[in-house]
């Protein structure tokens, strides 16, 4: 990354993080969904979801790289990588969140966590959307 | 390359910085008492910290620290509390507890108080790769004061924090700028990314200005 770009990115991170006014509630909210199911996201949030997934290896790549990702309705069918228990799934969620904050500087967000536990082999499929909340 | 992409980026930066500066400006009043809180993220990862100013039920986020442990984040919070005190604002650790300052802290506050009356002050930072100690520095060409000295925080996080401090000080109406001049009040008002810096540049494929 060249110096100017790096500098601007850091300014974006710095300025995104300060000046957020709120009551005493946390800056990061979480919504859990049981299973991988059809859901709707507003069009303006899609960039963030997409950027996040692209920056995180192969996790749930199959889902989000489909052409219809840019449609307003996102269908979660399959997960490319899954983990073997809920604790590991939580670690995935945490690391995605940290990575997202590092890359974007956005700290006021709602994290949508989709999990499905497969009874046949106890694997856990996990998918995460991050929605930026207004400052 | 579409020129509007970089225009949008710079405009977005200016807007975010302007909002940050104005919110700090309107949030802080010398007659109020503030709590300077340190909070971890929702998942309690212990690596991500937010410093917030609170009055009554209203909170303003003023700094974020990435990939650092709690003691390092506490140190940064304490140093920021000293900065606010020197600027004339009353800040506490919590509603019940005041910050505790030792003689070294008192000495720093005396130096900062004197230094903040000077003009042409830059906020810079240094990170020592061997000792892993970082400094956020106020300097004006003649003198330097270490506003923050902290260990174990990555350089990128320190760099971002130094920019946040510049924005806070801008919000307090002080004449501060980063060394590269991307923020300052050259024109009498705080202005982020002076336009002339971006009038001549070539863009990279992803739309960012090229050095």
């Amino acid at each position: 990354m060249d110096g100017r770009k790096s500098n601007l990115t850091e300014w974006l991170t710095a300025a995104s993080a300060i000046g957020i006014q709120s009551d005493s509630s946390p800056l990061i909210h979480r919504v859990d969904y049981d299973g991988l199911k059809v859901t709707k996201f507003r069009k303006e949030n899609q960039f963030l979801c997409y950027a996040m997934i692209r920056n995180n290896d192969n996790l749930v790549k199959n889902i989000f790289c489909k052409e219809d990702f840019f449609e307003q309705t996102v269908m979660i069918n399959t997960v490319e990588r899954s983990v073997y228990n809920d604790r590991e799934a939580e670690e995935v969620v945490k690391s995605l969140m940290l990575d997202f904050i590092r890359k974007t500087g956005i700290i006021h967000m709602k994290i949508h966590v989709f999990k499905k536990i497969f009874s046949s082999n106890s694997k856990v499929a996990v998918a995460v959307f991050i929605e930026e909340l207004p400052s | 390359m579409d020129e509007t992409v970089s225009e949008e980026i710079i405009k977005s930066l200016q807007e975010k910085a302007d909002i940050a500066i104005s919110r700090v400006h309107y949030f802080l009043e010398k007659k109020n008492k503030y709590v300077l809180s340190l909070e971890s993220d929702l998942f309690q990862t212990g690596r991500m910290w937010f410093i917030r100013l609170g009055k009554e039920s209203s909170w303003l986020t003023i700094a974020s620290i990435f990939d650092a442990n709690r003691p390092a984040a506490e140190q940064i919070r304490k140093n920021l509390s000293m900065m606010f005190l020197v600027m004339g604002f009353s800040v506490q650790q919590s509603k019940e507890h005041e910050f505790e300052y030792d003689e070294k802290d008192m000495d720093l506050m005396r130096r900062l108080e004197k230094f903040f009356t000077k003009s042409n002050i830059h906020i810079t930072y240094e990170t020592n790769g061997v000792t892993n100690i970082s400094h956020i520095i106020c300097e004006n060409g003649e003198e330097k004061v270490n506003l923050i000295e902290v260990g174990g925080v990555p350089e990128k996080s320190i760099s971002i924090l130094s920019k946040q401090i510049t924005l806070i000080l801008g919000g307090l109406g002080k004449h501060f700028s980063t060394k590269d001049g991307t923020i300052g009040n050259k024109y009498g008002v705080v202005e982020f990314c002076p336009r002339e810096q971006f009038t001549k540049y070539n863009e990279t494929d992803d739309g960012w200005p090229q050095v």
Side-chain angles (χ1 to χ4, degrees), chain B residues 130-169:
Chain B
V130 178
T131 61
N132 217 9
I133 303 282
S134 298
H135 294 101
I136 293 182
I137 303 157
C138 299
E139 63 167 303
N140 73 340
E142 298 166 3
E143 200 184 341
K144 282 184 177 183
V145 178
N146 287 332
L147 178 59
I148 291 176
E149 180 179 88
V150 67
V153 183
E155 184 175 353
K156 186 172 180 181
S157 185
I158 288 291
S159 176
I160 289 166
L161 184 63
S162 72
K163 289 173 167 65
Q164 289 173 335
I165 289 171
T166 313
L167 291 171
I168 295 166
L169 290 168

Side-chain angles (χ1 to χ4, degrees), chain B residues 21-210:
Chain B
I21 288 167
S22 64
R23 285 196 174 157
V24 169
H25 179 76
Y26 288 110
F27 192 79
L28 279 159
E29 289 177 82
K30 290 194 174 169
K31 63 179 183 182
N32 285 333
K33 275 196 168 188
Y34 296 89
V35 169
L36 197 60
S37 77
L38 178 69
E39 294 162 30
S40 183
D41 57 84
L42 176 73
F43 299 97
Q44 303 291 317
T45 59
R47 304 299 296 162
M48 182 118 346
W49 304 95
F50 308 120
I51 297 177
R52 303 170 84 194
L53 269 175
K55 62 173 180 185
E56 294 155 8
S57 62
S58 183
W59 292 84
L60 185 82
T61 306
I62 57 162
S64 53
I65 305 154
F66 308 145
D67 297 319
N69 58 26
R70 187 173 191 108
E74 288 279 12
Q75 182 62 50
I76 291 167
R77 171 169 72 150
K78 189 176 178 185
N79 282 60
L80 287 179
S81 79
M82 289 190 261
M83 183 185 85
F84 282 114
L85 280 177
V86 166
M87 302 293 277
F89 298 97
S90 175
V91 289
Q92 298 175 211
Q93 195 167 9
S94 66
K95 276 186 180 167
E96 298 79 25
H97 298 99
E98 303 275 350
F99 285 101
E100 288 181 14
Y101 302 110
D102 59 20
E103 196 48 47
K104 194 181 160 198
D105 299 327
M106 300 299 282
D107 184 52
L108 173 62
M109 283 194 276
R110 280 191 283 268
R111 292 187 67 196
L112 283 173
E113 196 166 7
K114 210 182 282 180
F115 194 80
F116 280 174
T117 60
K118 296 179 189 292
S119 57
N120 295 324
I121 299 176
H122 296 304
I123 304 291
T124 58
Y125 68 92
E126 289 172 356
T127 298
N128 185 320
V130 178
T131 61
N132 217 9
I133 303 282
S134 298
H135 294 101
I136 293 182
I137 303 157
C138 299
E139 63 167 303
N140 73 340
E142 298 166 3
E143 200 184 341
K144 282 184 177 183
V145 178
N146 287 332
L147 178 59
I148 291 176
E149 180 179 88
V150 67
V153 183
E155 184 175 353
K156 186 172 180 181
S157 185
I158 288 291
S159 176
I160 289 166
L161 184 63
S162 72
K163 289 173 167 65
Q164 289 173 335
I165 289 171
T166 313
L167 291 171
I168 295 166
L169 290 168
L172 298 180
K174 289 291 171 184
H175 297 212
F176 286 81
S177 63
T178 49
K179 216 164 187 178
D180 63 6
T182 45
I183 188 168
N185 61 352
K186 191 177 167 185
Y187 306 105
V189 291
V190 173
E191 176 162 322
F192 179 73
C193 292
R195 293 298 307 164
E196 65 269 25
Q197 287 200 20
F198 297 98
T199 50
K200 290 178 184 174
Y201 59 80
N202 297 313
E203 289 173 355
T204 53
D205 288 344
D206 54 3
W208 287 86
Q210 197 173 43

Side-chain angles (χ1 to χ4, degrees), chain A residues 13-70:
Chain A
T13 306
S16 297
I18 82 166
I20 295 172
Q21 278 179 303
S22 61
D23 55 20
S24 56
S25 61
L27 294 167
I28 299 170
H29 303 262
R30 174 174 173 155
V31 185
D32 284 283
Y33 300 85
D34 186 16
L36 307 173
K37 57 188 173 186
V38 176
T39 187
K40 284 188 176 180
F41 287 88
R42 294 197 308 275
K43 211 172 181 71
E44 57 265 33
N45 298 324
Q46 290 176 351
F47 165 74
L48 293 177
C49 303
Y50 183 60
M52 177 185 167
I53 297 305
R54 279 191 64 186
N55 287 329
N56 284 280
D57 301 319
N58 293 320
L59 185 73
V60 293
K61 196 167 84 179
N62 275 355
I63 300 166
F64 301 105
C65 290
K66 286 179 180 172
E67 281 186 16
D68 63 0
F69 173 73
F70 291 103

